[in-house]
Amino acid sequence: MKSITLDIETYSSMDLKKSGVYVYAESPDFEILLLSYSIDNGQVETVDLSNGEAIPHEIIAAIQNPKVIKHAFNANFERVCLSFWINRTFFPEKTLSDVTFFLNPTGWHCDMVWAAYLSLPMSLEMAGKVLKVEQQKMKEGKDLIRYFCTPCKPTKSNGGRTRNLPEHDLNKWEIFKAYNKWDVETEMAIQKRLSKVPVPDFIWDEYVLDQQINDRGVLIDMELVENALKIDEHTRNKLLTEMSNLTMLENPNSVSQVKNWLTSKGFQVESLGKKEVLEMIKTAPEEIAKVLKLRLQVSKSSIKKYEAMKLGVNSDDRARGLFKFYGANRTGRFSGARIQLQNLKRNDIPDLAEARALVKAGNLEALELLYDSVPDVLSELIRTALIPRSGQKFVVADFSAIEARVLSWLAGEKWRMDTFASGRDIYCATASKMFHCNVVKHGENGELRQKGKQAELACGYGGSVGAMKAMGALEMGLQEEELKPLVDAWRKANPKIVEFWWQIDRIIKQVITDRKPISFRGMKFRLEMNMLFIGLPSGRSLVYIKPRIEENDFGGESITYMGIGGTKKWERIESYGPKFVENIVQAIARDLLVAAMLRMDDEPIVAHVHDEMIIESDQQAETACLEMGTVPDWAKGLVLNADGYKCKFYQKE
């Protein structure tokens, strides 16, 4: 046996979307209902475990054998569920702390990752449709999963039961078995269509690392979480009561009711988003402003992360499965799940440890006495709920200005690389070039640094005035009339980068037109099987499906390709040089992070956020920074640097 393609159907009383597969499968009532499999692309067999059939020993052995390739769509689900099932069935003495509890991810090939690598949809149904495979997912699938795989509401008609078993509808059960088998056949059809473009072996090595980090998880301070939720409930009720007294609304938490109240006061509003509310507060009368400020406090969304933590921890208080490999399939970057560590609020409280101690102790009285806004405190403390295991600390190491460094390296903007090499501040250096004067942080012409920073963040990928505004330029005190001159000044200071945008644009158009490969700056652009491949220096490729050159809305030429767009549908997407450069730079930044994590895979990495890794260790932060600052052979000439620190709980230093 060389390979096996498999798919399982399961039951658990836990909500899979809210809790994640690790908590879902740990539930005492979790069970595998059906297992369908194909050995070496042969006939699909189905095992009906719910009706007493047993999984063949050779299949169990193959699942445990890292030399046998296991294919599944979203393989993390199958691997984790089978890990719990095998341990519960054969090794009941094993606990989550056992390093061999989870099945070795080596040998598991996720067909969803394969699809993502080629920029295809990351659902079995959509991938099948786009690839036009004959075997499409059965439409009845969602209803059958809802019927057999989740608890049901007890009613008189169903005898008060809370779960549907096969005997409750034998016809549906037979269809469900066919659905399980059909999924494996669909997966094999997709594999056949993708076989001409295999995923490079080193990507599967990266996938193994990702799965190990997900299996390890990160410890959550549940005492802090529980008390944060209690404090939030009390504070929220208090704020709502105050809002109700001011507005006389039945439900002051209702967006529509608050909008109607504002309309009655002469304020017509389209949205109650944070940005819009803050803008209204500036000019609103005191009565209205007070209500709007209360609205902002009530609508704090960070508390949802505490709720996600409570729902998403295993019995050992570790949150697992927080990262989705190739979650951003355009660049291959990781995305987050449930707690979403990628969008945590920064902590700016100077007495962070003291505030944290008060929340952990549930001391609401002291919090209200010492801080203007309890919801703001809870929001800033969300990071600190992540803690190292006893006797360890977190080592946090973060790349410094990684995208700016990669962009400068690729474009050959020497003055920027010299700035990085000398350890100088890139925002000051940018402002110096833009305004032709010496700019020193907190010193000579220091007020210009902020303008340099705004331009630096907004303009690197072709951004103009709109990008400056989106980055908050106006909120930071810049004037509307300043923005276009700032954009022009940045571009004049970075001619190599501007030239690089349009070099990439011309190369891609030429490859699409002439269908001949072009090598440029360590990258290889080629067209194969109606797909544009941008070979990165790391050996990985970015893929754009069915590229074309078409006329844009302005009468010029633009590049389009098929992909998942802003509507979440499979559609034609328009792009151009600077946007391709953004994809390339972010993809290389991702490859640098993964390369660093692979070099440090003997250290217990528990999480990574953007360009930062978090290690549960007693080593020095300098060691991790040196490792992160090591330039891979494929990136010679790139100037890398990383900053780091140790902490008793996760925080931004």
Side-chain angles (χ1 to χ4, degrees):
M1 184 190 306
K2 293 182 179 179
S3 68
I4 178 171
T5 299
L6 50 89
D7 184 77
I8 60 175
E9 304 299 341
T10 59
Y11 174 86
S12 173
S13 59
M14 300 302 295
D15 187 320
L16 179 60
K17 288 185 178 179
K18 291 181 179 179
S19 66
V21 64
Y22 291 85
V23 174
Y24 173 90
E26 193 187 15
S27 175
D29 59 9
F30 164 79
E31 61 179 277
I32 295 178
L33 309 176
L34 298 168
L35 166 67
S36 286
Y37 64 89
S38 166
I39 298 173
D40 296 333
N41 294 315
Q43 181 178 332
V44 178
E45 304 290 345
T46 300
V47 182
D48 186 345
L49 284 84
S50 287
N51 283 312
E53 294 181 8
I55 301 175
H57 292 301
E58 65 168 336
I59 301 303
I60 294 174
I63 288 169
Q64 295 175 293
N65 186 350
K67 293 183 179 179
V68 176
I69 301 301
K70 275 79 62 179
H71 281 280
F73 207 93
N74 188 17
N76 174 260
F77 180 81
E78 268 74 17
R79 187 180 62 81
V80 171
C81 286
L82 286 164
S83 294
F84 277 96
W85 183 85
I86 287 172
N87 283 314
R88 195 170 292 172
T89 305
F90 302 106
F91 311 104
E93 72 283 356
K94 275 190 181 181
T95 65
L96 284 167
S97 61
D98 193 312
V99 293
T100 63
F101 184 89
F102 293 104
L103 289 166
N104 186 345
T106 301
W108 284 81
H109 286 191
C110 180
D111 292 336
M112 184 172 72
V113 170
W114 196 349
Y117 183 79
L118 297 176
S119 295
L120 290 164
M122 296 175 70
S123 81
L124 184 60
E125 182 178 10
M126 286 189 68
K129 286 181 179 179
V130 169
L131 291 170
K132 297 180 180 178
V133 300
E134 292 181 8
Q135 295 84 354
Q136 295 288 326
K137 274 182 75 75
M138 293 170 59
K139 294 180 180 179
E140 306 93 331
K142 289 181 180 178
D143 290 337
L144 292 169
I145 288 172
R146 193 178 301 112
Y147 187 82
F148 288 114
C149 299
T150 63
C152 64
K153 187 177 180 180
T155 63
K156 286 185 179 180
S157 61
N158 71 11
R161 68 175 182 265
T162 57
R163 179 183 173 186
N164 296 314
L165 297 171
E167 58 262 32
H168 294 132
D169 196 319
L170 294 176
N171 184 52
K172 279 187 178 179
W173 184 252
E174 289 304 312
I175 298 173
F176 194 38
K177 288 168 67 175
Y179 166 77
N180 182 227
K181 179 181 178 181
W182 200 259
D183 268 3
V184 174
E185 291 173 339
T186 302
E187 288 173 33
M188 290 194 296
I190 289 174
Q191 290 167 23
K192 186 175 181 181
R193 292 296 301 272
L194 300 182
S195 60
K196 292 181 180 179
V197 195
V199 175
D201 288 341
F202 69 84
I203 297 294
W204 295 125
D205 294 336
E206 296 174 358
Y207 176 70
V208 168
L209 173 67
D210 167 77
Q211 293 297 286
Q212 289 169 339
I213 293 171
N214 275 312
D215 289 351
R216 184 178 297 124
V218 61
L219 188 62
I220 303 295
D221 189 334
M222 291 308 297
E223 186 178 2
L224 176 71
V225 169
E226 294 284 1
N227 280 311
L229 289 170
K230 289 177 184 176
I231 290 169
D232 174 72
E233 183 180 11
H234 180 91
T235 305
R236 185 181 177 83
N237 289 337
K238 187 175 178 180
L239 292 169
L240 287 172
T241 299
E242 190 174 352
M243 274 187 77
S244 183
N245 291 336
L246 289 169
T247 62
M248 304 304 292
L249 293 175
E250 182 180 346
N251 179 14
N253 193 39
S254 164
V255 172
S256 60
Q257 287 188 31
V258 174
K259 280 185 177 181
N260 290 337
W261 181 82
L262 287 168
T263 300
S264 72
K265 298 293 182 179
F267 279 77
Q268 197 74 31
V269 295
E270 294 293 325
S271 169
L272 287 179
K274 181 180 178 181
K275 188 175 181 179
E276 290 78 8
V277 172
L278 286 171
E279 195 60 35
M280 279 193 290
I281 288 173
K282 293 177 182 178
T283 57
E286 185 178 349
E287 176 198 10
I288 306 294
K290 188 171 183 180
V291 172
L292 291 173
K293 287 175 183 177
L294 289 169
R295 167 70 194 172
L296 282 178
Q297 295 297 305
V298 168
S299 62
K300 284 284 180 185
S301 61
S302 292
I303 197 68
K304 294 178 181 178
K305 293 188 183 293
Y306 288 113
E307 293 169 350
M309 288 176 178
K310 184 176 180 179
L311 290 171
V313 293
N314 284 109
S315 56
D316 60 353
D317 288 347
R318 295 186 82 89
R320 294 178 168 85
L322 300 181
F323 307 99
K324 191 172 182 180
F325 187 74
Y326 249 87
N329 66 352
R330 195 89 65 231
T331 62
R333 281 188 154 186
F334 298 84
S335 63
R338 299 188 325 283
I339 298 174
Q340 296 293 350
L341 299 182
Q342 282 80 354
N343 62 357
L344 295 176
K345 181 178 172 62
R346 291 188 68 91
N347 46 261
D348 298 315
I349 302 176
D351 53 345
L352 190 67
E354 289 80 0
R356 185 181 189 280
L358 290 175
V359 172
K360 188 168 180 176
N363 194 337
L364 176 60
E365 185 178 356
L367 286 166
E368 291 178 329
L369 181 66
L370 295 172
Y371 300 96
D372 294 334
S373 168
V374 173
D376 280 347
V377 172
L378 295 178
S379 183
E380 289 206 28
L381 289 179
I382 191 72
R383 288 176 186 271
T384 73
L386 277 62
I387 56 174
R389 69 184 188 276
S390 179
Q392 300 292 316
K393 288 187 177 181
F394 279 152
V395 174
V396 182
D398 188 11
F399 280 129
S400 303
I402 184 63
E403 288 190 33
R405 290 169 185 265
V406 172
L407 178 59
S408 304
W409 170 64
L410 286 173
E413 198 70 78
K414 188 175 183 303
W415 74 264
R416 293 167 65 91
M417 290 190 286
D418 290 343
T419 297
F420 291 126
S422 64
R424 288 180 290 148
D425 184 289
I426 186 61
Y427 303 136
C428 287
T430 297
S432 297
K433 290 281 287 187
M434 289 171 62
F435 302 110
H436 310 289
C437 64
N438 189 39
V439 178
V440 180
K441 187 176 182 180
H442 306 309
E444 184 182 4
N445 299 312
E447 72 281 0
L448 296 177
R449 181 182 184 272
Q450 186 60 37
K451 295 181 179 182
K453 181 176 181 179
Q454 280 292 325
E456 187 67 30
L457 295 176
C459 300
Y461 304 124
S464 188
V465 172
M468 293 281 284
K469 289 180 178 179
M471 291 284 184
L474 298 180
E475 289 80 0
M476 289 188 171
L478 294 177
Q479 301 301 309
E480 177 92 33
E481 57 272 17
E482 288 185 274
L483 302 186
K484 184 62 167 65
L486 283 176
V487 172
D488 293 341
W490 187 92
R491 292 183 179 182
K492 187 175 181 181
N494 293 278
K496 292 287 187 183
I497 291 176
V498 175
E499 180 186 7
F500 182 61
W501 297 338
W502 305 115
Q503 285 174 317
I504 294 298
D505 192 82
R506 287 191 296 273
I507 286 170
I508 291 175
K509 287 176 180 176
Q510 187 175 339
V511 168
I512 293 171
T513 302
D514 297 343
R515 311 181 78 84
K516 294 179 181 178
I518 295 176
S519 295
F520 178 69
R521 302 282 171 87
M523 297 175 285
K524 187 172 183 178
F525 300 77
R526 70 187 197 280
L527 195 70
E528 292 180 12
M529 295 171 287
N530 209 8
M531 293 187 285
L532 170 69
F533 291 83
I534 301 178
L536 302 174
S538 64
R540 193 166 66 91
S541 291
L542 303 184
V543 182
Y544 301 86
I545 296 174
K546 296 181 179 179
R548 294 180 191 163
I549 300 173
E550 298 182 316
E551 184 177 314
N552 59 30
D553 294 339
F554 305 101
E557 284 186 343
S558 68
I559 303 157
T560 68
Y561 59 90
M562 295 301 294
I564 300 293
T567 62
K568 305 298 182 184
K569 295 179 180 178
W570 186 251
E571 59 189 1
R572 189 151 287 278
I573 298 169
E574 185 176 346
S575 193
Y576 70 128
K579 187 65 180 176
F580 284 107
V581 169
E582 181 180 23
N583 288 173
I584 291 166
V585 169
Q586 291 184 349
I588 291 174
R590 173 263 186 211
D591 291 346
L592 290 164
L593 177 66
V594 172
M597 291 197 296
L598 284 168
R599 288 195 301 271
M600 301 177 69
D601 68 349
D602 56 337
E603 291 289 341
I605 301 169
V606 296
H608 48 90
V609 182
H610 299 305
D611 304 309
E612 168 186 271
M613 71 171 79
I614 308 165
I615 305 166
E616 194 177 58
S617 175
D618 56 2
Q619 71 161 305
Q620 295 302 310
E622 291 79 7
T623 305
C625 291
L626 284 172
E627 200 63 63
M628 285 191 78
T630 301
V631 178
D633 290 341
W634 51 262
K636 287 181 179 177
L638 173 64
V639 181
L640 274 184
N641 187 52
D643 296 321
Y645 51 93
K646 295 185 77 169
C647 48
K648 295 179 181 178
F649 44 76
Y650 183 42
Q651 63 185 96
K652 274 291 184 184
E653 194 171 76

